[in-house]
Amino acid sequence: MAEIQLKSLAHSYSNTPSGPEDYAIRRMNHTWEQGGAYALLGPSGCGKSTLLNIISGLLSPSEGEVLFDGVKVNETDTRDRNIAQVFQFPVVYDSMTVFDNLAFPLRNQKVSEDKVKAKVAEVADILDLQDLLKRKASNLTADEKQKVSMGRGLVRDDVSAILFDEPLTVIDPHLKWKLRRKLKQIHEQFNITMVYVTHDQLEASTFADKIAVMYEGQVVQFGTPRELFEQPAHTFVGYFIGSPGMNLIDVQLTEKGIQFDGMELLLSDDLLQSLASASASGSSTNIKAGIRPEFICLQEQPMDGALPCSVKHIEDLGTHKVLTLELGKQSLKAIVDEDYQATDGQVYACFPEQWLKIYVDEYLVEVQGSEQ
């Protein structure tokens, strides 16, 4: 097991990068603590796989350092980093049996055959591969092959970390939840540092204790699934996490709050002060208000602080309903209970300040001593 630290790390595929847009990984400092279960979450092209390949040594960073337990490993060969990497598509030796595939890393290290048998049996039991040990890998299904790939990383006692690069992409949807659960059980049993790359927020949330959300080559937030949902530190996190994602509205600052489309939302003095300071420091006019669909409160009658809006569409998903609202020129989503009697027409929307997030230049405005 190892603590993996990225220090002033950046990478560009260009020989002469001239700006941030030329970097696949923009300068970052980040630490994966020893024994943690982490996810690296983001859309295609955000730099997830590039970062994983830098950690494993398949790619050398343009700038900065990679440290394992405080030791710089930039020049250390991949095989000497003691990293196991499970790729998007299973990597197995089709001509070998499952047993021989699992035993291969140990035999390469000249481990005694008795220990090989014991370790393979242990890992096969964990991954439910006992009945397949004598079968040729060429005869396995895609999910069985992927379990063999995972097993090859688990048989070694000297593994510093296991890196998973979209490992469930080729797995049938109804089997994915089984493998996600199995990975979680493996982590709890072996306490190995694990980093799981995915574009799927469900996979990330069910596997990881903490998630690093990547956007345009940067980690824009690192936190628990709950923190990412309730306190998105960047507008992209608000948009990307959740289904539907966070509602985001371009707003202007007023003396008592924010306004858009001729409507005003009043804010607390503490939030107003923090917002004024954040926007003035960079003289920014890029100010957004965000609220998740789950946190919009709807009323049938007018009330203080509630804004009139129209219900334009209703999606009944069985466990809840998703309403599309028209508020001024804005289209918003609101999630309500299944028993909510939603009808087309006018309702009044409230935005509780506890859940209303204000962003300047895409980053959350923090209020000192508050959960805002």
Side-chain angles (χ1 to χ4, degrees):
M1 295 179 290
E3 177 188 83
I4 302 172
Q5 185 179 5
L6 311 177
K7 207 170 177 183
S8 299
L9 189 79
H11 185 73
S12 175
Y13 291 102
S14 169
N15 292 326
T16 56
S18 58
E21 66 279 359
D22 292 329
Y23 281 84
I25 302 293
R26 302 187 189 185
R27 187 176 299 275
M28 69 167 66
N29 294 285
H30 192 71
T31 300
W32 311 102
E33 295 179 0
Q34 178 176 305
Y38 301 105
L40 196 55
L41 174 67
S44 298
C46 71
K48 305 186 302 294
S49 294
T50 295
L51 186 57
L52 207 68
N53 290 336
I54 288 173
I55 293 172
S56 67
L58 294 175
L59 187 65
S60 296
S62 304
E63 304 169 22
E65 299 177 345
V66 180
L67 300 97
F68 284 14
D69 290 333
V71 178
K72 182 179 176 181
V73 295
N74 286 45
E75 309 305 322
T76 304
D77 191 82
T78 300
R79 61 187 174 188
D80 296 324
R81 296 190 189 192
N82 294 327
I83 288 287
Q85 190 161 355
V86 179
F87 295 94
Q88 181 174 351
F89 299 99
V91 179
V92 297
Y93 300 108
D94 281 343
S95 61
M96 292 183 180
T97 64
V98 170
F99 182 96
D100 289 335
N101 266 280
L102 295 175
F104 188 80
L106 298 176
R107 289 170 173 165
N108 266 357
Q109 295 178 322
K110 311 300 182 186
V111 173
S112 69
E113 199 62 23
D114 286 343
K115 186 173 181 180
V116 168
K117 290 179 181 178
K119 196 66 181 178
V120 168
E122 178 187 0
V123 170
D125 182 59
I126 292 167
L127 292 171
D128 297 326
L129 293 171
Q130 308 98 315
D131 297 336
L132 303 176
L133 289 175
K134 295 181 179 180
R135 186 181 297 182
K136 285 285 183 69
S138 58
N139 297 324
L140 301 179
T141 62
D143 62 294
E144 289 169 344
K145 287 184 178 182
Q146 195 62 293
K147 286 199 286 187
V148 174
S149 291
M150 295 174 189
R152 286 220 303 266
L154 293 172
V155 294
R156 293 166 48 196
D157 292 325
D158 63 339
V159 169
S160 299
I162 302 180
L163 311 180
F164 299 93
D165 192 356
E166 306 257 14
L168 303 184
T169 299
V170 298
I171 307 302
D172 288 340
H174 70 284
L175 294 174
K176 284 187 177 183
W177 71 271
K178 289 185 178 180
L179 283 181
R180 284 200 302 266
R181 181 175 174 81
K182 184 62 66 178
L183 285 176
K184 191 68 174 175
Q185 291 173 344
I186 288 168
H187 176 260
E188 291 170 355
Q189 181 170 346
F190 287 88
N191 198 33
I192 300 172
T193 306
M194 291 185 174
V195 182
Y196 186 106
V197 165
T198 180
H199 63 274
D200 187 321
Q201 58 178 292
L202 179 61
E203 285 186 18
S205 298
T206 52
F207 169 77
D209 300 321
K210 283 193 171 183
I211 300 171
V213 181
M214 285 197 73
Y215 176 63
E216 294 186 345
Q218 295 178 298
V219 174
V220 291
Q221 188 170 0
F222 183 56
T224 64
R226 181 173 180 175
E227 288 168 345
L228 299 181
F229 185 80
E230 294 186 355
Q231 287 286 110
H234 189 278
T235 53
F236 177 77
V237 179
Y239 161 79
F240 195 70
I241 301 291
S243 180
M246 174 177 271
N247 297 295
L248 292 163
I249 304 171
D250 289 312
V251 299
Q252 297 82 42
L253 186 59
T254 68
E255 186 177 338
K256 295 183 179 181
I258 52 175
Q259 68 175 5
F260 61 96
D261 299 342
M263 292 176 280
E264 184 176 32
L265 278 174
L266 303 182
L267 302 177
S268 68
D269 291 340
D270 288 342
L271 180 52
L272 270 175
Q273 185 176 351
S274 298
L275 175 55
S277 175
S279 58
S281 61
S283 300
S284 177
T285 58
N286 180 11
I287 304 173
K288 292 183 173 69
I291 189 167
R292 291 206 175 276
E294 291 83 354
F295 300 143
I296 293 178
C297 298
L298 298 180
Q299 305 290 336
E300 296 298 323
Q301 302 298 325
M303 61 179 292
D304 289 345
L307 301 177
C309 54
S310 301
V311 178
K312 293 299 181 183
H313 184 65
I314 302 168
E315 290 179 86
D316 191 336
L317 301 182
T319 56
H320 61 274
K321 295 173 182 175
V322 180
L323 275 55
T324 301
L325 308 174
E326 187 178 83
L327 177 61
K329 298 177 182 177
Q330 312 297 323
S331 179
L332 307 181
K333 299 291 186 182
I335 292 178
V336 296
D337 293 337
E338 169 62 19
D339 57 2
Y340 181 87
Q341 298 302 311
T343 57
D344 293 343
Q346 183 165 283
V347 293
Y348 298 86
C350 299
F351 304 90
E353 189 165 302
Q354 176 188 3
W355 303 116
L356 182 66
K357 307 302 175 185
I358 309 298
Y359 299 88
V360 173
D361 293 331
E362 312 306 328
Y363 283 91
L364 179 65
V365 174
E366 298 280 3
V367 179
Q368 193 67 28
S370 169
E371 293 185 358
Q372 174 70 34

